[in-house]
Amino acid sequence: MLGKHIDRGVPTSTHHFIRARLPWVVAGIILVALSLRGPIIAPTPVITNIQADIGLSSVAAGLLTGLPVFLFAVVTPAASAIIRRAGPEAAVLLCLTGVLVGTIIRSLGSTPLLLAGTVVIGASITIGNIVIPVLIRRDVPWRQVSVVTAAYSAALNVGSMITALGTAPLAAALGWRWALTAWGVLALAGIGYWLLLSRRRSPAPGDDAAAPGAPAPSSPETSAEMLPPAEPDTAHATGRVRRIGWLLALAFCGQAMAYYSVTAWLPALLADTRGLSLASSGASASLFQVAAVIGAFGVPLLAARAPAWVPVALIGALWITLPIGLMLAPGWFIAWSLIDGAAQGGGFTAIFSIVARVARSSAEAARMSARVQGIGYLAATIGPPLAGGLNTATGAWTAPLLLVLAATVVFTVGGVLAAFRARS
């Protein structure tokens, strides 16, 4: 049986504070999200300019996008510790400051500086990856968690899109160094915003902003408005949450491996199998990113009308259509790209909505988010080189597509089981 949180000792002013603060928090989350993927994408439209200017090798060029994803996996434990000790607001500011500093370092000149800036950016973004689910869990009423997570997921993709579209024109006008530096404006805006927002937050004594993971009875975190009905803090409840976390980690392994494999190789696959130019195949593949915004907001709409496992199962079915569709009907590649773009945006939203809903404290949300992302992004670092190796070994794209198919099945199984357990 599920217990109920009883709204005792929470003054009316606290509820007003929650409602008044929520739009500002959501805007802040979106501002952070715009800087969590764009800096990784930014070098790709001007990579030939960078190589010509500083003699960057092909291996080093690959590290500009591959290294941050690797850091997402290995830096996650440290990022989680920083959030626990410093608190969410300080962690957000550290993330954005690191992105800004790394962006400047990366634009200064030589290959070592380029890679050093990339390391700073990747490590800083890792903090942001972990802290946003913590903020959503802490500050967003549970009935709105899916919608806010969808806005966050959509903003990640919007940040990627505007950076991918805007970097080349900026480079043509200003040079590649200033083009990369210019995107630091988003991080700078986020820093200013969160400095102001942090001053507006006046936590009650014992609130977990002051002591992460330890809400007091008078904290907004104990309000029935903020949390769904949940089990008492027992060994059974702890075990249940832990099992859900491992299933979500399994689901995110499939999600991240499929996403990064498709992102890395879909343009080349379309060029080889459909005879498209690299420019045309890249434009077609970009639909995969654009449609993610639709998928991100589709999950909360469906979740409001169906059991929790239904959106996850539907997303899994959509994910699976991409590799099967490209193998059986490659001429429909635009449709497959749109369908599975929606699936990848929805998959991210579904996974991290469950994290925010089942965690019973900010500290538990940080631990669960760290576990899910640490394991998932490790799979993401393996996916693209493995897919590329399979293509090289076989001389065809069937084996890489079977790899993506296996990853999407893993997402579906892990995600559906986690959704079932989250509602049981």
Side-chain angles (χ1 to χ4, degrees):
M1 290 290 292
L2 293 176
K4 292 186 178 180
H5 284 281
I6 301 174
D7 192 16
R8 293 174 180 167
V10 183
T12 303
S13 59
T14 295
H15 293 293
H16 292 162
F17 177 77
I18 292 168
R19 287 192 292 269
R21 178 178 160 83
L22 182 59
W24 299 96
V25 171
V26 173
I29 288 170
I30 291 172
L31 261 180
V32 175
L34 293 176
S35 292
L36 293 187
R37 294 296 179 271
I40 302 172
I41 300 297
T44 57
V46 293
I47 196 65
T48 54
N49 305 58
I50 298 172
Q51 288 179 300
D53 189 19
I54 65 174
L56 189 69
S57 68
S58 297
V59 173
L63 288 174
L64 293 184
T65 53
L67 189 56
V69 180
F70 175 71
L71 289 168
F72 290 172
V74 300
V75 179
T76 288
S80 183
I82 288 170
I83 295 165
R84 286 197 304 271
R85 294 176 183 177
E89 281 82 6
V92 167
L93 290 169
L94 181 60
C95 161
L96 293 172
T97 301
V99 169
L100 179 60
V101 170
T103 297
I104 294 170
I105 293 173
R106 187 175 62 177
S107 306
L108 291 179
S110 64
T111 297
L113 287 173
L114 195 69
L115 295 177
T118 300
V119 168
V120 174
I121 289 170
S124 301
I125 289 176
T126 305
I127 299 173
N129 288 342
I130 305 300
V131 77
I132 294 301
V134 174
L135 284 167
I136 292 174
R137 187 263 167 204
R138 188 194 70 183
D139 289 346
V140 178
W142 73 276
R143 296 184 187 279
Q144 298 172 354
V145 159
S146 292
V147 174
V148 175
T149 305
Y152 166 52
S153 177
L156 291 174
N157 287 278
V158 169
S160 297
M161 284 187 291
I162 62 176
T163 306
L165 293 172
T167 300
L170 284 172
L174 305 172
W176 69 265
R177 299 176 195 277
W178 283 108
L180 296 185
T181 305
W183 297 112
V185 170
L186 292 175
L188 187 61
I191 291 169
Y193 185 93
W194 275 93
L195 283 171
L196 292 174
L197 188 62
S198 297
R199 292 177 181 176
R200 286 173 59 92
R201 177 172 172 79
S202 301
D207 187 6
D208 72 342
S218 60
S219 167
E221 197 163 32
T222 59
S223 169
E225 181 179 355
M226 299 302 293
L227 294 176
E231 289 182 285
D233 189 9
T234 64
H236 173 74
T238 300
R240 171 178 169 273
V241 171
R242 186 180 297 114
R243 287 190 292 274
I244 292 170
W246 284 112
L247 288 169
L248 290 175
L250 180 67
F252 197 56
C253 279
Q255 165 85 10
M257 178 176 281
Y259 171 76
Y260 283 99
S261 298
V262 171
T263 299
W265 292 109
L266 187 56
L269 183 152
L270 294 178
D272 287 352
T273 61
R274 307 309 303 164
L276 300 178
S277 67
L278 286 176
S280 297
S281 61
S284 299
S286 67
L287 296 173
F288 182 71
Q289 307 290 345
V290 173
V293 176
I294 300 171
F297 285 104
V299 168
L301 290 176
L302 185 57
R305 295 166 175 79
W309 64 269
V310 172
V312 183
L314 178 59
I315 292 162
L318 294 177
W319 248 131
I320 289 168
T321 63
L322 177 65
I324 293 177
L326 288 175
M327 286 189 285
L328 299 182
W332 288 59
F333 63 89
I334 291 179
W336 309 137
S337 296
L338 287 170
I339 289 170
D340 284 271
Q344 63 98 351
F348 186 96
T349 302
I351 289 171
F352 289 100
S353 292
I354 295 173
V355 170
R357 290 171 71 104
V358 303
R360 296 161 300 166
S361 69
S362 293
E364 190 169 64
R367 288 193 300 271
M368 185 181 292
S369 180
R371 182 187 308 125
V372 169
Q373 295 191 57
I375 296 172
Y377 284 122
L378 184 60
T381 66
I382 298 169
L386 181 55
L390 289 171
N391 172 248
T392 300
T394 63
W397 289 100
T398 300
L401 288 173
L402 288 174
L403 174 67
V404 173
L405 176 60
T408 58
V409 170
V410 168
F411 162 80
T412 305
V413 172
V416 169
L417 289 175
F420 267 121
R421 287 185 178 271
R423 301 303 297 172
S424 63

